[in-house]
Amino acid sequence: MSKEQAYYVPEGTYWPIIGSIGIATLFVGFANQMHGVSWGGSVMALGFAIVVFMMFGWLGQVVNESTNGIYNDQVDRSFRWGMSWFIFSEVMFFAAFFGALFYARQLSVPWLGGADNNVFTPDLWNAFSASWHQMAFLAPGAELQSGTVMSFPAVPDSGIATATPADVVNPWGLPALNTALLLLSGVTLTFAHHALRAGHRNQIVGWLVATIALGSAFLGFQIMEYGHAYHEGLKLTSGIYGSTFYMLTGFHGFHVTVGVIMLTVILYRVQKGHFSAENHFGFEGVAWYWHFVDVVWLGLFVFVYWL
Amino acid sequence: MTEVLIVIVIIAILVALGFGLIGMLKGGKQGSDKMFRSLVTRVALSVALFIFVMFAGAMGWIKPNGMMIDAPAVHQPVQK
Amino acid sequence: MHGLIMVFGAIMPAFVGLGNWLIPMMIGAPDMALPRMNNWSFWILPFAGSILLSTFFMEGGAPAFGWTFYAPLSTTFAPDSTDFFIFAVHLLGFSSIMGAINIIATVLNMRAPEMKLMDMPLFVWTWLITSFLLIGAMPVLAGAVTMMLTDRNFGTAFFDATGGGDPVLFQHIFWFFGHPEVYIMILPAFGVVSHIIPTFARKPLFGYSSMVYATASIAFLSYIVWAHHMFLTGMPVAGELYFMYATMLIAVPTGVKVFNWISTMWRGSMTFEAPMLWAVSFVFLFTIGGFSGLMLGIAPADIQYHDTYFVVAHFHYVLVTGALWSIIAATFYWLPKWTGKMYNEFLAKIHFWWAVIAVNVLFFPQHFLGLAGMPRRIPDYSLQFADFNFISSIGGFAFGASFFLLTYIVIDCIRNGKPATARPWEGAKGLEWTLEPKAQYHSFNTPPSRKLIEAESQNS
């Protein structure tokens, strides 16, 4: 035995079962809401409230235990392992959507157009030519029955037209601005990180506020961008381009929102003096998360808008 | 060529991010240093990549994929 | 629904439970690293299970598209209850991911300080590698069902060719999850068998380190062979060839394992208590399933076998006589440590022979049915298949009934069993056997010494 070491086992808590109830309520409500059940929305909101309550309670308890110095290094390392592999699972989640994007763009859309002379991809429609983010939307006055999927190929004289409005997907406008904003937030966060390691608390606060502001600005512009795209006819329902565009950017936006909230909590904890130059895992975890979200956006910007 | 370069830089960014994760995992002074260095690298690379992409776009080396056509625009249907 | 319940509701929770109970004991830790998160991952299960089962009572019936829920069966043509099914899968995914994160943190961080990685028992090794598979695969499943959800309710076109998507895309994403998933279910089984066979052969495990490397190779390969489930979807020939060869490659590490188990038994002084019976029959029957898998993995031959009862027979041989067998073997092997009492060996042997005969009557004829051309998933098969199906049904009822006896044996053991010693199997190695006969809630409050670890290591 090199040195005596006692294991730490935390005391019991009810938060996990509360969280399970909350998350199940949220999903049951959501499913009912989609099926048009009247109480669906309120149950969903209730479930969400329970989840938020659980988050505050559970994390608050952990923060308390941490600041009271109950944890040892081993617990700290367990948290680090937990956070790292959680993020890895997030990477895999986004990978599924990026995979769908690449597959649709490189394989399924060209095949639909008859590329490769593959025996399995015969000509489906004479008038159809495959081009990426070709969108279908209704000409004014035309109506589609609900439940039908908008047809993707251009169908002459049927009221369905395809178009590729250039500025919806033009990377020079808002997307470029948003990329710049988010990258800048990565820079300011790095300054905050540096300040924390050097022990300048006032500077940390400043840089963190800047990061949060940039993140929020990003979200605001993203909403504008959605409004614009939607107005131009790019919708979730407008074929595979709309699907991948909204799902990828939407899930990314959700992660940015979560990131902004987490950064705000970290800002609060910095002001409370929870972190030291040596011991600041909470900050590191959130910072890494933010960098991850940042890189996902860079990937989105390059692959969705450019390449 | 430009595309390949962009993809390589993105992979490099992911690697730097991954090293940051390993640093966070290690913890302690060493891990903290490693994490910080990797993240600085990743931020620098990202900014550089962004500038390069915009520059390449301005020079016309790459086109926004709105104008990209993946399959022949005029396609002759097989006579049945 | 049968497949979903068996995969997500039976095999996986059973192994996760076994892992959560055994791993801390095996690595000399008091408990799992993140007990609260673990607790959460447990409590999600009853809720997710209830949501999943509640679909049986909904209008339009439960999801009726098998555990693979291919689009468009699960999107365009599915009952409304599918949305509940999707959320249940999301919840099960959260639960699995948290469980896996916890096992990784426990094994890598809570291990006794004196225990090196290559001292770890194989069950711990296989679970560690399984956890990596879980974390890599489950989020992809979450992505797949999310796309399904939006396709169903928000008009996206991921799996809809009229919008430029592709139903085959679903199969790619699903099997990128699905293939690692089948190894998630079998790797812990390998670990269990690697404990039982050395114990009753009274020899150290043959080729410990090659077992570890074989497990890791299987895990790696499992990520790059997914499309061998999709040979008939019209992939380019180059793709078919690649996936065929990569699939063949998996036979190599799996063969290493089977030969290692046999070499462990070679010239051992073997006895056949119930756990050993299950373990030996695991090796035998799992290998049958492995060989039929090899046959299915050959792309040109798969054109004949695809979607027939041959496939059904194959995966029931690997999952029932593989994964489930090892769970039952593990139950008997560690039951004394769990209850502090011994089970009735005589009844256990009767149960074994009953089950092993029944399961073969149940599944072996399905090979013949499949080769004769009976397709999977049909409500009414043609007349010439009736006889074999009849035999198969008899086996099915007999096999199902055997579980009443198993339940009785376990309850009888808890109630009336004779007290067990701390190490009821004299050939058993492992830190768990150094604890008191009935393991306590928190096993090791001070780490075990290097000497003890070495004495109990499988790698010595």
Side-chain angles (χ1 to χ4, degrees):
Chain A
M1 283 294 296
S2 52
K3 69 171 189 219
E4 193 67 27
Q5 187 187 4
Y7 287 115
Y8 170 79
V9 178
E11 56 185 272
T13 147
Y14 289 107
W15 293 118
I17 189 166
I18 295 173
S20 307
I21 294 171
I23 204 163
T25 315
L26 174 69
F27 279 166
V28 169
F30 190 19
N32 279 295
Q33 166 77 13
M34 288 186 303
H35 294 171
V37 178
S38 57
W39 46 265
S42 19
V43 170
M44 193 177 152
L46 175 70
F48 186 70
I50 298 177
V51 170
V52 171
F53 171 66
M54 179 274 294
M55 286 289 201
F56 269 96
W58 188 335
L59 296 174
Q61 188 176 359
V62 172
V63 168
N64 269 336
E65 286 169 358
S66 164
T67 47
N68 291 336
I70 296 177
Y71 293 160
N72 56 23
D73 287 353
Q74 194 170 33
V75 178
D76 180 67
R77 270 200 307 280
S78 286
F79 286 158
R80 286 167 192 274
W81 280 106
M83 181 71 189
S84 310
W85 289 105
F86 164 70
I87 297 215
F88 181 71
S89 76
E90 294 266 71
V91 173
M92 292 306 290
F93 183 75
F94 274 103
F97 284 90
F98 272 108
L101 171 77
F102 296 145
Y103 184 87
R105 195 168 67 192
Q106 300 302 332
L107 298 174
S108 72
V109 171
W111 281 351
L112 281 173
D116 288 358
N117 281 329
N118 192 326
V119 67
F120 289 98
T121 58
D123 277 291
L124 294 173
W125 186 256
N126 288 352
F128 177 74
S129 76
S131 79
W132 182 237
H133 70 63
Q134 195 167 17
M135 307 178 305
F137 61 91
L138 286 176
E143 257 183 49
L144 265 187
Q145 281 169 358
S146 65
T148 23
V149 178
M150 294 248 202
S151 90
F152 178 55
V155 184
D157 308 323
S158 68
I160 301 171
T162 62
T164 310
D167 56 338
V168 171
V169 288
N170 182 2
W172 284 103
L174 276 177
L177 177 65
N178 257 345
T179 312
L181 283 177
L182 211 53
L183 284 177
L184 203 59
S185 80
V187 175
T188 54
L189 186 65
T190 306
F191 279 117
H193 199 162
H194 176 73
L196 177 62
R197 282 158 46 86
H200 307 305
R201 185 169 315 161
N202 290 336
Q203 289 183 19
I204 315 171
V205 173
W207 289 120
L208 266 183
V209 169
T211 311
I212 294 168
L214 286 166
S216 312
F218 171 87
L219 284 173
F221 281 122
Q222 194 63 19
I223 291 168
M224 267 175 68
E225 165 87 348
Y226 275 5
H228 179 221
Y230 200 81
H231 183 71
E232 293 286 334
L234 179 65
K235 298 175 183 172
L236 259 179
T237 45
S238 38
I240 188 67
Y241 178 73
S243 307
T244 50
F245 173 82
Y246 278 111
M247 293 303 281
L248 273 167
T249 52
F251 270 112
H252 177 263
F254 171 72
H255 281 80
V256 174
T257 315
V258 173
V260 167
I261 294 169
M262 295 202 302
L263 281 172
T264 316
V265 174
I266 289 297
L267 176 65
Y268 173 76
R269 291 189 62 191
V270 165
Q271 282 174 326
K272 283 266 178 182
H274 284 178
F275 301 121
S276 67
E278 291 78 34
N279 192 357
H280 48 264
F281 169 64
F283 181 92
E284 284 180 334
V286 174
W288 203 91
Y289 187 85
W290 190 259
H291 283 281
F292 158 70
V293 169
D294 213 9
V295 170
V296 171
W297 177 261
L298 200 64
L300 280 174
F301 180 66
V302 170
F303 290 117
V304 174
Y305 291 99
W306 283 102
L307 296 187
Chain B
M1 189 56 217
T2 319
E3 283 94 339
V4 175
L5 186 69
I6 291 172
V7 171
I8 288 173
V9 177
I10 284 186
I11 292 172
I13 291 171
L14 286 173
V15 170
L17 197 64
F19 274 113
L21 191 67
I22 295 171
M24 184 171 87
L25 208 53
K26 271 191 187 162
K29 179 84 181 91
Q30 246 186 333
S32 174
D33 287 348
K34 185 187 171 91
M35 178 184 181
F36 186 70
R37 268 201 314 275
S38 318
L39 290 181
V40 169
T41 316
R42 101 90 200 142
V43 167
L45 279 174
S46 307
V47 173
L49 178 68
F50 176 62
I51 293 169
F52 176 71
V53 167
M54 297 321 278
F55 180 70
M59 298 297 285
W61 298 341
I62 52 173
K63 285 195 182 116
N65 68 28
M67 287 110 211
M68 192 173 83
I69 305 296
D70 282 308
V74 181
H75 177 70
Q76 293 303 318
V78 180
Q79 294 301 318
K80 303 254 158 58
Chain C
M1 285 294 277
H2 164 78
L4 283 166
I5 293 171
M6 289 302 161
V7 169
F8 292 106
I11 303 284
M12 283 173 71
F15 271 131
V16 174
L18 199 61
N20 274 305
W21 181 63
L22 274 174
I23 287 173
M25 289 198 276
M26 286 183 161
I27 60 174
D31 201 333
M32 299 297 284
L34 303 159
R36 286 174 186 163
M37 194 173 74
N38 217 10
N39 191 239
W40 197 15
S41 116
F42 169 78
W43 277 115
I44 285 178
L45 281 178
F47 290 98
S50 313
I51 295 177
L52 191 60
L53 292 182
S54 73
T55 56
F56 276 120
F57 306 104
M58 288 178 189
E59 217 179 309
F65 32 70
W67 89 285
T68 51
F69 46 100
Y70 280 180
L73 289 178
S74 57
T75 52
T76 318
F77 303 109
D80 280 354
S81 60
T82 306
D83 295 321
F84 290 89
F85 149 82
I86 289 172
F87 286 132
V89 171
H90 272 129
L91 286 175
L92 292 165
F94 291 154
S95 168
S96 300
I97 289 170
M98 286 193 284
I101 288 175
N102 204 359
I103 283 169
I104 293 178
T106 306
V107 172
L108 296 180
N109 190 31
M110 299 290 278
R111 209 169 61 238
E114 302 286 328
M115 182 180 266
K116 300 193 186 84
L117 281 176
M118 289 310 261
D119 292 328
M120 293 195 316
L122 264 172
F123 183 71
V124 179
W125 259 117
T126 50
W127 243 118
L128 177 67
I129 292 166
T130 303
S131 306
F132 289 120
L133 286 182
L134 273 169
I135 294 181
M138 292 310 280
V140 178
L141 176 70
V145 290
T146 307
M147 290 180 213
M148 242 172 84
L149 184 78
T150 56
D151 265 20
R152 285 174 51 78
N153 294 294
F154 303 110
T156 56
F158 287 107
F159 309 134
D160 190 345
T162 55
D166 190 350
V168 177
L169 171 64
F170 177 85
Q171 299 189 22
H172 278 292
I173 300 176
F174 178 82
W175 284 114
F176 186 82
F177 146 78
H179 199 76
E181 169 69 23
V182 302
Y183 290 116
I184 288 166
M185 291 187 280
I186 200 65
L187 288 184
F190 290 163
V192 167
V193 171
S194 307
H195 279 261
I196 294 174
I197 286 181
T199 298
F200 295 100
R202 290 169 182 76
K203 273 177 67 190
L205 182 67
F206 184 88
Y208 169 88
S209 47
S210 68
M211 285 296 222
V212 173
Y213 297 133
T215 312
S217 329
I218 292 175
F220 170 72
L221 288 172
S222 76
Y223 274 114
I224 54 169
V225 296
W226 74 88
H228 66 211
H229 298 268
M230 309 163 47
F231 280 143
L232 294 193
T233 55
M235 274 188 296
V237 176
E240 302 231 344
L241 283 177
Y242 160 74
F243 283 111
M244 177 172 96
Y245 290 134
T247 305
M248 300 291 115
L249 219 52
I250 293 187
V252 177
T254 316
V256 167
K257 285 181 155 295
V258 171
F259 282 118
N260 278 350
W261 289 322
I262 293 171
S263 313
T264 308
M265 289 189 272
W266 177 254
R267 292 192 162 182
S269 58
M270 305 217 294
T271 52
F272 294 94
E273 284 87 347
M276 184 61 163
L277 286 173
W278 289 97
V280 174
S281 68
F282 167 94
V283 175
F284 188 79
L285 297 173
F286 177 78
T287 308
I288 292 179
F291 276 134
S292 59
L294 211 55
M295 292 164 73
L296 289 164
I298 300 168
D302 187 60
I303 293 171
Q304 169 71 19
Y305 306 142
H306 194 90
D307 256 342
T308 67
Y309 255 72
F310 192 78
V311 181
V312 177
H314 156 68
F315 68 71
H316 280 99
Y317 263 90
V318 288
L319 288 178
V320 176
T321 63
L324 181 66
W325 245 228
S326 85
I327 290 170
I328 300 176
T331 309
F332 283 120
Y333 186 62
W334 282 292
L335 201 55
K337 186 55 55 183
W338 178 29
T339 61
K341 297 182 181 155
M342 288 302 285
Y343 59 89
N344 185 329
E345 184 68 43
F346 176 70
L347 281 183
K349 280 195 173 128
I350 290 186
H351 170 246
F352 168 74
W353 288 109
W354 180 356
V356 82
I357 291 169
V359 87
N360 281 295
V361 174
L362 168 56
F363 294 122
F364 210 80
Q366 295 184 351
H367 287 120
F368 308 139
L369 284 170
L371 292 179
M374 177 174 160
R376 292 171 75 180
R377 296 182 174 136
I378 49 166
D380 196 6
Y381 45 80
S382 69
L383 205 58
Q384 71 268 32
F385 303 126
D387 289 352
F388 274 131
N389 271 299
F390 184 64
I391 297 173
S392 188
S393 299
I394 294 175
F397 281 108
F399 184 56
S402 76
F403 284 86
F404 292 112
L405 183 55
L406 176 63
T407 316
Y408 173 76
I409 294 171
V410 173
I411 293 174
D412 178 57
C413 168
I414 296 169
R415 291 236 176 117
N416 315 316
K418 289 183 211 128
T421 51
R423 195 187 299 260
W425 322 113
E426 82 271 15
K429 272 186 170 188
L431 287 172
E432 73 269 28
W433 305 112
T434 64
L435 295 165
E436 54 267 56
K438 184 179 191 305
Q440 300 300 310
Y441 278 127
H442 298 304
S443 38
F444 286 93
N445 282 312
T446 45
S449 64
R450 176 74 205 160
K451 212 174 123 196
L452 187 63
I453 291 169
E454 269 174 5
E456 297 293 343
S457 168
Q458 284 189 304
N459 186 14
S460 58

